Amino acid sequence: YFKNMSEADISRFVSDVISKKPISDETIKSMLSATDEESLQKMFSAARAVRNHFFSNNVYLYSFVYFSTYCKNKCAFCYYRAANKIDRYRLTPEELRDMCKQLKNEGVHMIDLTMGEDPHFHDHPENLIEFVTIAKETAGLPVMISPGVVDDKFIEQLAAAGANFFALYQETYQQNLYEKLRIGQSFDGRIQARTAARAAGMCVEDGMLTGFSKSVLNTPDFVVDDVEAALLSLREMQKFNADQVRVMTFEPQPGTPLEETIQAPYLMEIKIISVLRFLFPDRLIPASLDVAGIDGMVDRLNAGANVVTSIISADSTLEGVVNFDRDVPLSARKRDAKSVIERLKTMGMQPGTQADFEKYLKR
Ligand code: SAM
Ligand code: MD0
Ligand code: SF4
Protein backbone atom coordinates (compact mmCIF):
# COMPACT_ATOMS: atom_id res chain seq x y z
CA TYR A 1 0.00 0.00 0.00
CA PHE A 2 2.77 2.46 0.93
CA LYS A 3 5.32 1.27 -1.59
CA ASN A 4 5.00 3.87 -4.29
CA MET A 5 3.72 6.70 -2.13
CA SER A 6 5.39 10.10 -2.27
CA GLU A 7 5.83 12.29 0.82
CA ALA A 8 2.70 14.16 -0.24
CA ASP A 9 0.71 10.93 -0.57
CA ILE A 10 1.79 9.89 2.92
CA SER A 11 0.79 13.28 4.36
CA ARG A 12 -2.60 12.96 2.74
CA PHE A 13 -3.03 9.48 4.18
CA VAL A 14 -2.03 10.74 7.64
CA SER A 15 -4.58 13.58 7.43
CA ASP A 16 -7.28 11.12 6.40
CA VAL A 17 -6.45 8.92 9.37
CA ILE A 18 -6.47 11.88 11.76
CA SER A 19 -9.92 12.84 10.49
CA LYS A 20 -10.95 9.21 11.08
CA LYS A 21 -11.71 8.35 7.49
CA PRO A 22 -12.49 4.61 7.22
CA ILE A 23 -9.82 2.26 5.86
CA SER A 24 -10.81 -0.58 3.53
CA ASP A 25 -10.14 -4.28 4.10
CA GLU A 26 -7.97 -4.33 1.00
CA THR A 27 -5.79 -1.53 2.34
CA ILE A 28 -5.37 -3.22 5.71
CA LYS A 29 -4.48 -6.54 4.09
CA SER A 30 -1.95 -4.83 1.89
CA MET A 31 -0.37 -3.11 4.92
CA LEU A 32 -0.19 -6.36 6.87
CA SER A 33 1.35 -8.18 3.90
CA ALA A 34 4.20 -5.73 3.39
CA THR A 35 7.69 -7.19 3.67
CA ASP A 36 9.92 -4.77 1.79
CA GLU A 37 11.84 -2.24 3.84
CA GLU A 38 10.58 0.79 1.93
CA SER A 39 6.87 0.03 2.49
CA LEU A 40 7.49 -0.85 6.11
CA GLN A 41 9.45 2.30 6.90
CA LYS A 42 6.82 4.47 5.22
CA MET A 43 4.06 2.76 7.16
CA PHE A 44 5.88 3.14 10.51
CA SER A 45 6.59 6.79 9.85
CA ALA A 46 2.93 7.44 8.97
CA ALA A 47 1.92 5.70 12.21
CA ARG A 48 4.33 7.89 14.20
CA ALA A 49 2.94 11.00 12.52
CA VAL A 50 -0.58 10.04 13.56
CA ARG A 51 0.55 9.25 17.10
CA ASN A 52 2.49 12.49 17.40
CA HIS A 53 -0.53 14.47 16.22
CA PHE A 54 -2.58 13.19 19.17
CA PHE A 55 0.09 12.54 21.80
CA SER A 56 3.16 14.58 20.80
CA ASN A 57 6.33 12.82 22.04
CA ASN A 58 4.71 11.74 25.31
CA VAL A 59 4.75 8.13 26.40
CA TYR A 60 2.87 6.63 29.35
CA LEU A 61 4.37 4.02 31.63
CA TYR A 62 2.53 1.21 33.40
CA SER A 63 3.98 -0.77 36.24
CA PHE A 64 3.15 -4.46 36.08
CA VAL A 65 2.24 -6.11 39.36
CA TYR A 66 1.43 -9.78 38.85
CA PHE A 67 0.22 -10.26 42.40
CA SER A 68 -1.02 -13.87 42.13
CA THR A 69 0.20 -16.47 39.66
CA TYR A 70 -2.35 -19.08 40.78
CA CYS A 71 -4.95 -19.82 38.10
CA LYS A 72 -7.84 -22.23 37.74
CA ASN A 73 -7.97 -21.98 33.95
CA LYS A 74 -6.30 -23.95 31.19
CA CYS A 75 -5.48 -21.50 28.43
CA ALA A 76 -3.39 -23.44 25.92
CA PHE A 77 -0.89 -20.62 25.45
CA CYS A 78 -0.25 -19.69 29.06
CA TYR A 79 2.59 -20.68 31.39
CA TYR A 80 0.35 -20.14 34.42
CA ARG A 81 -2.43 -22.53 33.34
CA ALA A 82 -3.56 -24.67 36.27
CA ALA A 83 -1.99 -27.93 35.09
CA ASN A 84 1.50 -26.49 34.70
CA LYS A 85 3.75 -27.60 37.54
CA ILE A 86 5.50 -24.34 38.31
CA ASP A 87 6.35 -22.33 41.39
CA ARG A 88 3.54 -19.91 42.15
CA TYR A 89 3.08 -17.05 44.58
CA ARG A 90 0.34 -14.82 45.96
CA LEU A 91 1.29 -11.51 47.57
CA THR A 92 -0.07 -10.65 51.01
CA PRO A 93 -1.71 -7.24 51.48
CA GLU A 94 1.42 -6.13 53.36
CA GLU A 95 3.69 -7.18 50.52
CA LEU A 96 1.53 -5.28 48.05
CA ARG A 97 1.60 -2.20 50.26
CA ASP A 98 5.40 -2.26 50.47
CA MET A 99 5.67 -2.63 46.73
CA CYS A 100 3.27 0.25 46.08
CA LYS A 101 5.19 2.54 48.42
CA GLN A 102 8.17 2.07 46.20
CA LEU A 103 6.20 2.48 42.97
CA LYS A 104 5.06 5.90 44.08
CA ASN A 105 8.48 7.32 43.30
CA GLU A 106 9.35 5.38 40.18
CA GLY A 107 7.86 7.68 37.59
CA VAL A 108 5.14 5.34 36.31
CA HIS A 109 1.67 6.63 35.45
CA MET A 110 -0.49 3.64 36.36
CA ILE A 111 -0.28 0.33 38.21
CA ASP A 112 -1.54 -2.75 36.39
CA LEU A 113 -2.73 -5.21 39.03
CA THR A 114 -2.81 -8.56 37.23
CA MET A 115 -3.71 -12.03 38.50
CA GLY A 116 -4.36 -15.51 37.25
CA GLU A 117 -7.94 -16.56 37.89
CA ASP A 118 -6.96 -17.32 41.48
CA PRO A 119 -10.01 -18.42 43.49
CA HIS A 120 -8.67 -16.54 46.52
CA PHE A 121 -9.51 -13.33 44.66
CA HIS A 122 -11.78 -14.54 41.89
CA ASP A 123 -14.34 -16.03 44.29
CA HIS A 124 -13.88 -13.36 46.96
CA PRO A 125 -14.38 -9.86 45.57
CA GLU A 126 -13.52 -8.36 48.95
CA ASN A 127 -9.95 -9.64 48.67
CA LEU A 128 -9.44 -7.99 45.32
CA ILE A 129 -11.18 -4.78 46.41
CA GLU A 130 -8.74 -4.64 49.31
CA PHE A 131 -5.82 -4.85 46.84
CA VAL A 132 -7.25 -2.09 44.64
CA THR A 133 -7.70 0.10 47.69
CA ILE A 134 -4.14 -0.55 48.90
CA ALA A 135 -2.68 0.29 45.49
CA LYS A 136 -4.74 3.47 45.10
CA GLU A 137 -3.99 4.73 48.59
CA THR A 138 -0.36 3.74 48.90
CA ALA A 139 0.91 4.66 45.46
CA GLY A 140 -1.54 7.49 44.81
CA LEU A 141 -1.70 6.40 41.16
CA PRO A 142 -4.50 5.22 38.87
CA VAL A 143 -5.02 1.47 38.87
CA MET A 144 -5.62 -0.93 36.02
CA ILE A 145 -7.06 -4.27 37.00
CA SER A 146 -6.62 -7.53 35.03
CA PRO A 147 -8.71 -10.08 36.96
CA GLY A 148 -9.92 -12.26 34.07
CA VAL A 149 -13.66 -12.70 33.61
CA VAL A 150 -15.68 -11.72 36.66
CA ASP A 151 -19.40 -11.05 36.93
CA ASP A 152 -21.13 -7.70 36.52
CA LYS A 153 -21.63 -7.11 40.20
CA PHE A 154 -17.94 -7.76 40.93
CA ILE A 155 -17.04 -5.33 38.14
CA GLU A 156 -19.24 -2.64 39.65
CA GLN A 157 -17.53 -3.14 43.00
CA LEU A 158 -14.11 -2.76 41.37
CA ALA A 159 -15.20 0.49 39.74
CA ALA A 160 -16.65 1.71 43.03
CA ALA A 161 -13.33 0.93 44.75
CA GLY A 162 -11.65 3.29 42.29
CA ALA A 163 -10.22 0.96 39.64
CA ASN A 164 -9.71 3.16 36.58
CA PHE A 165 -8.99 0.65 33.83
CA PHE A 166 -10.19 -2.89 33.15
CA ALA A 167 -7.92 -5.03 30.95
CA LEU A 168 -9.32 -8.15 29.34
CA TYR A 169 -8.12 -9.40 25.98
CA GLN A 170 -10.26 -11.41 23.63
CA GLU A 171 -7.00 -12.76 22.07
CA THR A 172 -8.85 -13.59 18.82
CA TYR A 173 -12.29 -12.92 17.42
CA GLN A 174 -12.33 -16.21 15.54
CA GLN A 175 -14.58 -18.20 17.77
CA ASN A 176 -13.20 -21.62 16.84
CA LEU A 177 -9.63 -20.49 17.41
CA TYR A 178 -10.71 -18.91 20.71
CA GLU A 179 -12.09 -22.27 21.82
CA LYS A 180 -8.73 -23.91 21.15
CA LEU A 181 -6.90 -21.23 23.09
CA ARG A 182 -9.14 -20.31 26.00
CA ILE A 183 -10.23 -23.88 26.57
CA GLY A 184 -13.62 -24.16 28.29
CA GLN A 185 -14.19 -20.40 28.56
CA SER A 186 -17.15 -18.50 27.14
CA PHE A 187 -16.42 -16.30 24.14
CA ASP A 188 -19.44 -14.07 24.73
CA GLY A 189 -18.83 -13.96 28.47
CA ARG A 190 -15.47 -12.35 27.85
CA ILE A 191 -17.03 -9.69 25.63
CA GLN A 192 -19.76 -9.13 28.22
CA ALA A 193 -17.21 -8.42 30.95
CA ARG A 194 -15.71 -5.58 28.90
CA THR A 195 -19.18 -4.20 28.22
CA ALA A 196 -19.98 -4.28 31.93
CA ALA A 197 -16.69 -2.61 32.81
CA ARG A 198 -17.42 0.24 30.44
CA ALA A 199 -20.96 0.57 31.77
CA ALA A 200 -19.51 0.76 35.29
CA GLY A 201 -17.43 3.74 34.20
CA MET A 202 -14.00 2.17 33.81
CA CYS A 203 -11.77 2.57 30.78
CA VAL A 204 -11.32 -0.74 28.99
CA GLU A 205 -8.46 -2.47 27.19
CA ASP A 206 -8.95 -5.15 24.53
CA GLY A 207 -6.21 -7.09 22.81
CA MET A 208 -5.28 -9.75 20.31
CA LEU A 209 -2.50 -12.27 19.94
CA THR A 210 -0.67 -13.04 16.73
CA GLY A 211 1.68 -15.82 15.67
CA PHE A 212 -0.22 -19.09 16.15
CA SER A 213 0.90 -21.63 13.62
CA LYS A 214 -1.43 -23.80 11.65
CA SER A 215 0.51 -27.00 12.22
CA VAL A 216 0.13 -26.94 15.98
CA LEU A 217 -3.51 -25.99 16.08
CA ASN A 218 -3.93 -28.68 13.47
CA THR A 219 -7.42 -27.90 12.23
CA PRO A 220 -8.33 -27.01 8.70
CA ASP A 221 -11.51 -25.18 9.65
CA PHE A 222 -10.26 -21.78 10.65
CA VAL A 223 -8.30 -18.91 9.27
CA VAL A 224 -4.76 -19.15 10.47
CA ASP A 225 -3.42 -17.05 7.72
CA ASP A 226 -2.09 -14.27 9.93
CA VAL A 227 -3.30 -11.47 7.66
CA GLU A 228 -6.90 -12.67 7.42
CA ALA A 229 -6.96 -13.58 11.11
CA ALA A 230 -5.65 -10.17 12.15
CA LEU A 231 -8.10 -8.34 9.89
CA LEU A 232 -11.02 -10.19 11.43
CA SER A 233 -9.92 -9.39 14.98
CA LEU A 234 -9.16 -5.76 14.14
CA ARG A 235 -12.62 -5.23 12.69
CA GLU A 236 -14.30 -6.76 15.73
CA MET A 237 -12.12 -4.68 18.05
CA GLN A 238 -13.22 -1.57 16.17
CA LYS A 239 -16.85 -2.28 17.04
CA PHE A 240 -16.16 -1.96 20.75
CA ASN A 241 -13.60 0.82 20.33
CA ALA A 242 -11.77 0.23 23.59
CA ASP A 243 -9.77 2.98 25.29
CA GLN A 244 -6.59 0.95 24.92
CA VAL A 245 -5.90 -1.70 22.29
CA ARG A 246 -2.98 -4.09 22.08
CA VAL A 247 -1.39 -6.90 20.15
CA MET A 248 1.26 -9.30 21.34
CA THR A 249 3.12 -12.15 19.65
CA PHE A 250 2.36 -15.55 21.09
CA GLU A 251 5.43 -16.95 22.82
CA PRO A 252 5.46 -20.74 23.32
CA GLN A 253 5.67 -21.62 27.03
CA PRO A 254 7.34 -24.62 28.66
CA GLY A 255 4.92 -27.18 30.10
CA THR A 256 1.95 -26.10 27.96
CA PRO A 257 0.15 -27.83 25.06
CA LEU A 258 1.64 -25.31 22.63
CA GLU A 259 5.16 -25.74 23.99
CA GLU A 260 6.52 -27.14 20.73
CA THR A 261 5.20 -24.36 18.54
CA ILE A 262 7.75 -22.37 16.66
CA GLN A 263 8.07 -18.81 17.89
CA ALA A 264 6.72 -16.53 15.15
CA PRO A 265 8.77 -13.52 14.08
CA TYR A 266 7.76 -10.20 15.64
CA LEU A 267 7.18 -8.40 12.34
CA MET A 268 3.46 -9.15 12.16
CA GLU A 269 2.90 -7.75 15.66
CA ILE A 270 4.78 -4.60 14.74
CA LYS A 271 2.77 -4.13 11.54
CA ILE A 272 -0.44 -4.67 13.50
CA ILE A 273 0.65 -1.94 15.93
CA SER A 274 0.81 0.48 13.00
CA VAL A 275 -2.58 -0.64 11.71
CA LEU A 276 -4.01 -0.26 15.23
CA ARG A 277 -2.69 3.30 15.19
CA PHE A 278 -4.52 3.93 11.90
CA LEU A 279 -7.78 2.36 13.11
CA PHE A 280 -7.62 3.78 16.65
CA PRO A 281 -5.68 6.99 16.00
CA ASP A 282 -6.27 8.66 19.39
CA ARG A 283 -6.19 5.58 21.62
CA LEU A 284 -3.57 4.26 24.00
CA ILE A 285 -1.53 1.50 22.32
CA PRO A 286 1.06 -0.42 24.35
CA ALA A 287 4.54 -1.60 23.55
CA SER A 288 4.94 -4.50 25.97
CA LEU A 289 8.36 -5.10 27.49
CA ASP A 290 7.20 -8.62 28.17
CA VAL A 291 7.43 -9.72 24.53
CA ALA A 292 10.87 -8.59 23.43
CA GLY A 293 12.30 -6.38 26.16
CA ILE A 294 13.64 -2.88 25.88
CA ASP A 295 14.98 -3.25 22.32
CA GLY A 296 11.59 -4.60 21.31
CA MET A 297 10.02 -1.58 22.99
CA VAL A 298 11.88 0.72 20.62
CA ASP A 299 10.56 -1.10 17.54
CA ARG A 300 7.01 -0.99 18.89
CA LEU A 301 7.14 2.70 19.73
CA ASN A 302 8.60 3.36 16.31
CA ALA A 303 5.59 1.57 14.80
CA GLY A 304 3.15 3.92 16.56
CA ALA A 305 2.70 2.70 20.14
CA ASN A 306 2.56 5.31 22.93
CA VAL A 307 2.44 3.31 26.17
CA VAL A 308 5.08 1.05 27.74
CA THR A 309 3.68 -1.85 29.76
CA SER A 310 5.17 -4.61 31.88
CA ILE A 311 7.58 -2.32 33.68
CA ILE A 312 8.95 -4.25 36.67
CA SER A 313 11.20 -2.71 39.33
CA ALA A 314 14.85 -3.73 39.12
CA ASP A 315 14.74 -5.47 42.51
CA SER A 316 11.29 -7.03 42.15
CA THR A 317 10.75 -10.76 42.56
CA LEU A 318 7.47 -10.74 40.63
CA GLU A 319 6.98 -12.34 37.25
CA GLY A 320 5.89 -11.14 33.83
CA VAL A 321 3.45 -13.15 31.73
CA VAL A 322 5.22 -13.94 28.47
CA ASN A 323 8.64 -13.63 30.12
CA PHE A 324 10.83 -13.80 27.06
CA ASP A 325 13.58 -13.09 29.59
CA ARG A 326 12.69 -15.79 32.11
CA ASP A 327 16.29 -17.02 32.07
CA VAL A 328 17.88 -13.59 32.39
CA PRO A 329 18.85 -12.54 35.94
CA LEU A 330 16.44 -9.91 37.27
CA SER A 331 19.10 -7.25 37.58
CA ALA A 332 19.98 -7.61 33.90
CA ARG A 333 16.45 -7.48 32.52
CA LYS A 334 16.24 -3.70 32.14
CA ARG A 335 12.50 -3.67 32.64
CA ASP A 336 12.57 -0.94 35.27
CA ALA A 337 11.19 2.56 34.76
CA LYS A 338 14.59 4.24 34.91
CA SER A 339 15.99 2.13 32.06
CA VAL A 340 12.84 2.77 30.03
CA ILE A 341 12.96 6.53 30.54
CA GLU A 342 16.64 6.69 29.60
CA ARG A 343 15.91 4.79 26.43
CA LEU A 344 12.91 6.98 25.55
CA LYS A 345 15.15 10.03 25.74
CA THR A 346 17.52 8.60 23.14
CA MET A 347 14.47 8.35 20.87
CA GLY A 348 13.39 11.94 21.40
CA MET A 349 10.46 10.78 23.50
CA GLN A 350 9.64 11.35 27.16
CA PRO A 351 7.18 10.32 29.84
CA GLY A 352 4.08 12.54 29.63
CA THR A 353 2.91 14.33 32.75
CA GLN A 354 0.61 12.59 35.20
CA ALA A 355 -2.04 15.25 34.54
CA ASP A 356 -1.90 14.59 30.79
CA PHE A 357 -2.23 10.87 31.39
CA GLU A 358 -5.22 11.29 33.65
CA LYS A 359 -7.08 13.17 30.92
CA TYR A 360 -7.30 9.86 29.04
CA LEU A 361 -8.97 8.25 32.03
CA LYS A 362 -11.99 10.53 31.84
CA ARG A 363 -14.54 9.02 29.56
N1 SAM B 1 -5.62 -14.08 33.94
C1 SAM B 1 -6.13 -12.90 33.34
C2 SAM B 1 -6.60 -13.15 31.94
O1 SAM B 1 -6.25 -14.17 31.37
O2 SAM B 1 -7.32 -12.30 31.42
C3 SAM B 1 -5.14 -11.74 33.31
C4 SAM B 1 -3.69 -12.04 32.99
S1 SAM B 1 -3.33 -12.87 31.49
C5 SAM B 1 -1.95 -13.78 32.05
C6 SAM B 1 -2.75 -11.62 30.46
C7 SAM B 1 -2.57 -11.88 28.98
O3 SAM B 1 -1.27 -12.33 28.70
C8 SAM B 1 -3.44 -12.85 28.27
O4 SAM B 1 -4.73 -12.34 28.05
C9 SAM B 1 -2.68 -13.06 26.97
O5 SAM B 1 -3.06 -12.10 26.01
C10 SAM B 1 -1.24 -12.81 27.39
N2 SAM B 1 -0.44 -14.02 27.32
C11 SAM B 1 -0.48 -15.06 28.17
N3 SAM B 1 0.38 -16.02 27.77
C12 SAM B 1 0.97 -15.57 26.65
C13 SAM B 1 1.96 -16.12 25.76
N4 SAM B 1 2.48 -17.31 25.96
N5 SAM B 1 2.35 -15.38 24.71
C14 SAM B 1 1.81 -14.16 24.51
N6 SAM B 1 0.88 -13.60 25.30
C15 SAM B 1 0.46 -14.30 26.36
C1 MD0 C 1 2.02 -6.72 29.57
N1 MD0 C 1 2.52 -8.70 30.85
O1 MD0 C 1 1.59 -5.58 29.48
C2 MD0 C 1 1.62 -7.61 30.72
C3 MD0 C 1 0.20 -8.13 30.61
C4 MD0 C 1 -1.99 -7.50 31.60
N2 MD0 C 1 -2.87 -6.39 31.74
C5 MD0 C 1 -0.80 -7.05 30.79
C6 MD0 C 1 -0.02 -8.95 29.37
O2 MD0 C 1 2.79 -7.13 28.74
FE1 SF4 D 1 -5.02 -18.10 33.67
FE2 SF4 D 1 -4.98 -15.76 32.40
FE3 SF4 D 1 -3.08 -17.62 31.96
FE4 SF4 D 1 -5.53 -18.04 31.07
S1 SF4 D 1 -4.13 -16.39 30.41
S2 SF4 D 1 -4.27 -19.54 32.15
S3 SF4 D 1 -6.78 -17.10 32.66
S4 SF4 D 1 -3.43 -16.52 33.85
Side-chain angles (χ1 to χ4, degrees):
Y1 180 74
F2 284 97
K3 181 132 180 107
N4 295 312
M5 278 197 183
S6 64
E7 288 290 320
D9 296 333
I10 297 175
S11 301
R12 205 167 311 117
F13 171 78
V14 168
S15 307
D16 286 348
V17 168
I18 289 169
S19 61
K20 309 203 175 155
K21 199 174 156 210
I23 301 175
S24 72
D25 287 357
E26 284 320 305
T27 301
I28 293 173
K29 283 197 263 185
S30 163
M31 289 174 179
L32 294 179
S33 307
T35 50
D36 67 292
E37 210 41 41
E38 185 189 341
S39 305
L40 292 171
Q41 291 313 325
K42 285 178 174 172
M43 172 159 79
F44 300 152
S45 95
R48 290 194 297 273
V50 172
R51 177 198 62 203
N52 295 351
H53 172 86
F54 289 104
F55 296 96
S56 178
N57 64 341
N58 294 321
V59 177
Y60 299 102
L61 311 182
Y62 300 175
S63 174
F64 186 60
V65 177
Y66 201 178
F67 62 89
S68 172
T69 57
Y70 289 90
C71 188
K72 67 179 167 60
N73 280 343
K74 42 183 170 183
C75 300
F77 51 82
C78 184
Y79 184 65
Y80 303 95
R81 68 200 304 272
N84 207 6
K85 305 248 173 311
I86 54 171
D87 292 334
R88 297 175 194 261
Y89 61 79
R90 175 189 300 132
L91 294 191
T92 64
E94 291 65 39
E95 285 167 331
L96 180 71
R97 192 172 288 114
D98 288 344
M99 189 162 283
C100 290
K101 265 184 207 147
Q102 192 185 328
L103 290 178
K104 192 178 181 159
N105 305 311
E106 285 215 341
V108 297
H109 297 90
M110 185 155 72
I111 299 183
D112 178 3
L113 291 180
T114 293
M115 61 184 232
E117 291 199 6
D118 174 0
H120 175 79
F121 294 102
H122 208 259
D123 299 347
H124 300 278
E126 67 280 9
N127 291 337
L128 187 52
I129 303 295
E130 180 186 13
F131 270 40
V132 171
T133 308
I134 290 173
K136 294 276 296 187
E137 286 176 356
T138 317
L141 291 172
V143 166
M144 170 183 261
I145 182 89
S146 306
V149 174
V150 293
D151 67 30
D152 294 7
K153 176 134 185 294
F154 194 158
I155 288 172
E156 282 164 27
Q157 290 174 279
L158 289 167
N164 304 80
F165 233 111
F166 183 82
L168 188 73
Y169 317 140
Q170 199 68 20
E171 327 292 5
T172 172
Y173 279 86
Q174 290 181 79
Q175 211 154 325
N176 43 11
L177 176 56
Y178 178 95
E179 283 156 14
K180 298 252 168 198
L181 297 177
R182 287 202 160 266
I183 299 164
Q185 299 168 46
S186 160
F187 182 85
D188 293 334
R190 215 164 163 84
I191 296 176
Q192 167 54 29
R194 276 190 296 279
T195 307
R198 172 172 281 174
M202 286 186 276
C203 288
V204 177
E205 181 179 24
D206 192 4
M208 58 189 275
L209 291 174
T210 182
F212 292 106
S213 80
K214 191 169 195 150
S215 56
V216 167
L217 292 164
N218 195 22
T219 29
D221 59 329
F222 47 69
V223 196
V224 267
D225 174 83
D226 256 353
V227 169
E228 291 288 347
L231 176 65
L232 193 152
S233 291
L234 288 163
R235 288 301 192 205
E236 290 300 313
M237 280 164 75
Q238 271 188 297
K239 292 182 188 161
F240 185 76
N241 197 15
D243 305 277
Q244 179 166 301
V245 283
R246 78 158 60 204
V247 56
M248 293 192 295
T249 307
F250 162 61
E251 171 123 3
Q253 299 291 321
T256 65
L258 300 182
E259 171 169 20
E260 300 300 332
T261 318
I262 296 159
Q263 162 81 61
Y266 296 131
L267 181 61
M268 183 56 76
E269 174 189 337
I270 292 170
K271 290 190 279 190
I272 294 172
I273 288 176
S274 290
V275 173
L276 283 171
R277 179 55 69 205
F278 301 144
L279 298 178
F280 302 84
D282 57 357
R283 300 285 145 155
L284 298 161
I285 301 179
S288 173
L289 289 168
D290 211 19
V291 180
I294 198 152
D295 294 326
M297 172 193 87
V298 173
D299 298 333
R300 286 154 182 78
L301 291 171
N302 279 335
N306 69 324
V307 169
V308 178
T309 62
S310 248
I311 292 173
I312 302 181
S313 310
D315 59 355
S316 171
T317 53
L318 302 195
E319 301 208 42
V321 173
V322 180
N323 274 333
F324 83 105
D325 51 4
R326 188 167 282 129
D327 300 328
V328 179
L330 276 169
S331 55
R333 287 187 182 183
K334 295 247 175 265
R335 283 168 71 152
D336 58 291
K338 189 162 166 280
S339 303
V340 167
I341 294 168
E342 272 169 23
R343 194 62 177 268
L344 289 180
K345 294 204 167 129
T346 68
M347 302 173 69
M349 303 191 83
Q350 58 175 14
T353 65
Q354 187 67 24
D356 274 343
F357 177 64
E358 293 188 11
K359 285 193 284 193
Y360 302 111
L361 300 179
K362 299 208 178 67
R363 309 197 44 254

